[in-house]
Amino acid sequence: MTILEGPAGAPRKPVIRQPGLLSQMWTARADYLYVLPAIVVMLIVIAYPVYYTIDLSFFKTPPGLQLRDKVFVGTENYTAILSSDVFWKVTLNTVIWTVASTLIAFVLGYASALALHRDFAGRAVLRAILIIPWVISAVAASYIWKWMYHSDFGIIGAVMVQLGLVDRQPNFIDNVHTVLPSLIVVNIWREFPFAMIMIMAGLQTVPEQLLRAARVDGASAWQRFWHVTFPYLSGVSTVTILLLAVANFNSFIVPWITTGGGPSNASHIWITHIYELAFGRQRWGVAAAYSVLLFIIVMSLGYFYVRALSGNERKEDSP
Amino acid sequence: MRNYPLGRALARGAVVSALAVSMLNSSVHAQSVDLSKWSPEYVRSIAGTEEYDTAKECGAVTPLDYEGKLTFWYQGVFEGDPDLLRQYYKEFFEAFRATYPNIDLQEQALTYNDLLDKFRTALLGNAGPMVVRLQILGGVEFASKGYLQELSPEDVGWKTEDFWPGAMKSVMWEGKAYGIPTNNETMALIWNADIFERAGLDPETPPATWDDVVAYSKQIHDKLGVSGYGLVARKNAGNTPYRFMPQLWAYGGGVFDEADPSPTYGEVRLDSDASKAALQASYDMYVRDQSVPVSALTNQQADNQPLFLAGQLGMMISHPSDYNVMLDLQAKATGSDKEKAQTVIDNMRYGLIPTGPDGKRAVVFGGSNIHILNPEYVEGGVVDEAAAKAMVCFWTSPEWSLKMAYAGSNPGNLNGFKTKWMKERLESIKFLDVTTSMLPYGIPFPTLPETPEIMNIIIPDMLQNVLTGAMTVDEAAADAAQKVRDITDGGGL
């Protein structure tokens, strides 16, 4: 540490010069050595594919040529994507899918966690039952829902007809207007237990004495929730929402297995469309350009996620 | 069970058959089997007339004591196939291992809809198998990219004339052969005679034209409340083009000129009036009459089979193996369902696929081909050529190309029709006559690298755009035609 002289006449003030980055790294060289294998693995399995995808996004890959014979087209793939009607339709689907799935799954999970936080008979059993959608295979769940939604013989429609709610079997997944909401229901069913578990964990951190003090002060149940519980859960809520949003943005299994993005692209979201472009149509360059755009969005969400985590850590560290 | 009298329909179709045969082959009489005489009677007359010793024939290509290693991917049986076929697949690999005990065979079965995606991905990483058996529309795509070795029947002890000319076209790229047909199939129209009768239709007479299919489907639905025709319009599923293309061709349409005697694939015809008429027929059934399953947009043929067995579907297009599939499904049913299923099986009828308004009858000339890969695209960078040829020879032999197509298809090697197993098959597989009678009407998919995308994505998209009301018939046809033009020009999304 070096103490520098201040300007003439001014009171002397110690100025602390931070050591340089290299100096800091040298000091903590043992730590860097410990994480070096992980960094190398990440460079191989993450950094290189990212680089390759970005590179590929500037090439055209005609069906009659091998990938290595790709043709450089500059930003043509990006232009083609952004000027395509399908892109905007799929983007709208993706936004609806992500926002609706995330928010509704979060609200349901939050409510379930609050309900299960109270002590009542059968709580453990109910908690176990509610977690089932999250733990069972997404592929199996998608097939089951596909059959439950079946437009001719699905059990959901049959029950609705039996109950007199509708005259004929409703068309859930073979209709361009109902297919996306129907799949969002499946996704929410699968994901709300995750939000529930996260919030339940968060509820363990709410100080019991604060809630008791609020009760002594005459606070109603709503006031205790709003002024004590809710603020305490803001950190975990932010993290949960961000995790759900990222997962939904990249959610592939439910829409792909159930409808394959159809009918008429009505349930295509970015990730399924990218898959179809790449593996069904061999438009590797276009799919790579799509992936780069998706990567930028997910990385932005990741930034907020890291910030939210850092914020939580700072709160926990503060006295 | 009553049999459908085929003779009359076949006599009417004789002229058309001869014409179609000549379309398939410019040197008909050079074939191992005389295709100009093709009829159920001719097939019966040659069945069981020759003996083949597979081990001896293939032993001349690869010695039976050869020691080697082979990786092999193939389009295997899936949920829509009968148990009988599973048994033959099992026996095939047992027989190969017994014949070539020193070849370490590592085989992998994939479903029709998964195989292309997985194979393409593996090739990108130079991790393909040494030998692959692909659906008929896949070969040209990979040959054009240089992934496949040149391979002709002569390389494994057979003659080119032993195979269907149309099938050989599907393995040709720039005048060279890159594979050998293992099996070739054409489908037929299947209907439930009991449903026909109850709907006021002649139970023993199938619809003659596609316009009749539309009318029959409506009549069945209006009178009985069940679906008339098993429309399939799922995307990314081979079932869709196999059912829609015969309709498109019958009306005189096409993607290109693939239904013409000498196709050049130079002109896109998806937006022609004839193609639109075919699309309109599907629209009429799904939207106007609502006489087909609503779930057609997400269904595959495997989903139609239980509907048919449950007596909820009047007509569908499928393989002869569907009869065996129905028997398998019926065996699994319990209680009164078993009895109901038996009634449906007793009333199952097979007929020729309907014609278009001008009497044109067409069906997809389907099947599979077997290929050997170039070493640089194979896991480990080496192809065991002798082991690979042993497998190719074995599968394309008269014996196994017949047995592996026993219930659902036809042998790629025409000599398979002359074996004793063909004779046995004619006696045990019901309705085989009908589907073999459809072979001369078979039209191969365009032999272009873009064909898988056209058939698996663009055609189903066109159908879905119309059936969901997202586009009119004119718009959907124009949209699909433009997409085909774009991709053949090397552009488009």
Side-chain angles (χ1 to χ4, degrees), chain A residues 63 282, chain B residues 75 112 115-116 119-120 123 132-145 147-148 170-171 178 242 367-369 371 445-453 455-456:
Chain A
Q282 302 170 81
Chain B
Q75 177 211 318
Y112 186 99
L115 179 55
L116 282 180
F119 187 55
R120 283 172 185 149
L123 290 174
V132 65
R133 176 179 174 253
L134 289 172
Q135 49 265 61
I136 199 164
L137 58 70
V140 170
E141 174 191 327
F142 300 105
S144 69
K145 289 179 176 177
Y147 289 127
L148 307 177
S170 71
V171 294
Y178 288 88
Y242 271 81
S368 300
N369 303 317
H371 311 272
F445 284 130
T447 48
L448 296 172
E450 294 85 1
T451 294
E453 179 177 349
M455 293 300 162
N456 292 340

Side-chain angles (χ1 to χ4, degrees), chain B residues 12 189 206-217 247 250-251 281 315 352-361:
Chain B
R12 277 202 307 266
L189 182 86
T209 66
W210 278 101
D211 288 339
D212 290 344
V213 172
V214 176
Y216 281 34
S217 185
Q247 190 179 328
Y251 275 97
M315 299 173 278
L352 302 181
I353 286 182
T355 67
D358 298 334
K360 184 171 186 178
R361 197 188 308 279

Side-chain angles (χ1 to χ4, degrees), chain B residues 225-356:
Chain B
V226 302
S227 295
Y229 171 65
L231 185 77
V232 175
R234 186 182 167 91
K235 197 166 159 181
N236 246 327
N239 293 154
T240 303
Y242 271 81
R243 277 149 194 83
F244 181 69
M245 294 308 290
Q247 190 179 328
L248 188 69
W249 291 325
Y251 275 97
V255 175
F256 305 99
D257 56 352
E258 69 274 9
D260 288 358
S262 303
T264 58
Y265 312 129
E267 181 196 352
V268 177
R269 294 182 180 171
L270 266 179
D271 51 356
S272 67
D273 287 343
S275 295
K276 287 183 201 167
L279 202 51
Q280 182 70 43
S282 294
Y283 174 88
D284 289 347
M285 287 190 279
Y286 190 85
V287 181
R288 187 192 68 188
D289 303 337
Q290 299 182 5
S291 66
V292 296
V294 181
S295 50
L297 305 182
T298 38
N299 270 356
Q300 302 185 71
Q301 175 58 19
D303 301 309
N304 275 337
Q305 290 165 342
L307 292 188
F308 190 88
L309 190 69
Q312 297 294 317
L313 186 60
M315 299 173 278
M316 60 183 183
I317 286 183
S318 202
H319 308 272
S321 61
D322 270 40
Y323 179 74
N324 297 71
V325 172
M326 294 300 155
L327 293 177
D328 292 345
L329 290 172
Q330 191 257 1
K332 289 169 193 157
T334 53
S336 61
D337 284 348
K338 207 175 182 72
E339 216 170 289
K340 279 184 202 164
Q342 188 57 51
T343 308
V344 172
I345 290 169
D346 291 343
N347 283 285
M348 207 168 165
R349 303 286 187 275
Y350 273 66
L352 302 181
I353 286 182
T355 67

Side-chain angles (χ1 to χ4, degrees), chain A residues 85-312:
Chain A
D85 292 342
V86 175
F87 168 77
W88 293 108
K89 184 177 179 180
V90 171
T91 301
L92 181 64
N93 287 348
T94 310
V95 170
I96 293 170
W97 166 269
T98 306
V99 172
S101 298
T102 302
L103 291 184
I104 300 173
F106 176 73
V107 169
L108 273 179
Y110 205 116
S112 308
L114 289 175
L116 288 173
H117 192 57
R118 301 158 73 96
D119 207 7
F120 60 89
R123 184 175 72 153
V125 174
L126 190 58
R127 193 162 49 193
I129 290 171
L130 288 178
I131 289 171
I132 288 174
W134 189 56
V135 296
I136 65 170
S137 150
V139 173
S142 301
Y143 276 113
I144 291 167
W145 275 95
K146 183 182 170 185
W147 277 102
M148 293 204 305
Y149 275 146
H150 195 279
S151 306
D152 293 298
F153 303 102
I155 191 166
I156 298 174
V159 169
M160 288 170 77
V161 172
Q162 287 289 318
L163 293 176
L165 298 175
V166 287
D167 294 336
R168 54 184 296 181
Q169 190 86 3
N171 185 348
F172 290 111
I173 55 173
D174 290 280
N175 179 305
V176 287
H177 303 296
T178 54
V179 64
L180 194 60
S182 301
L183 297 192
I184 288 172
V185 168
V186 180
N187 205 35
I188 291 166
W189 171 83
R190 266 197 44 75
E191 286 189 336
F192 89 89
F194 170 73
M196 184 183 82
I197 291 166
M198 293 288 283
I199 299 299
M200 280 168 72
L203 283 168
Q204 307 300 318
T205 67
V206 180
E208 193 57 34
Q209 64 269 33
L210 267 184
L211 290 166
R212 274 203 296 270
R215 192 177 290 124
V216 169
D217 288 346
S220 64
W222 169 252
Q223 286 169 326
R224 288 199 300 277
F225 167 73
W226 190 247
H227 295 292
V228 180
T229 308
F230 188 74
Y232 257 92
L233 293 179
S234 62
V236 72
S237 298
T238 309
V239 169
T240 304
I241 288 172
L242 283 168
L243 285 175
L244 282 174
V246 171
N248 287 324
F249 225 93
N250 290 300
S251 181
F252 177 79
I253 296 174
V254 171
W256 188 256
I257 298 275
T258 317
T259 61
S264 206
N265 297 326
S267 61
H268 253 322
I269 57 175
W270 272 28
I271 198 80
T272 55
H273 197 219
I274 288 170
Y275 180 84
E276 184 184 290
L277 281 166
F279 296 95
R281 303 173 57 188
Q282 302 170 81
R283 304 301 170 87
W284 306 102
V286 178
Y290 253 106
S291 302
V292 170
L293 296 173
L294 180 64
F295 177 73
I296 292 167
I297 292 170
V298 173
M299 284 302 286
S300 308
L301 288 172
Y303 168 76
F304 289 112
Y305 171 68
V306 172
R307 270 192 60 171
L309 274 184
S310 310
N312 286 350

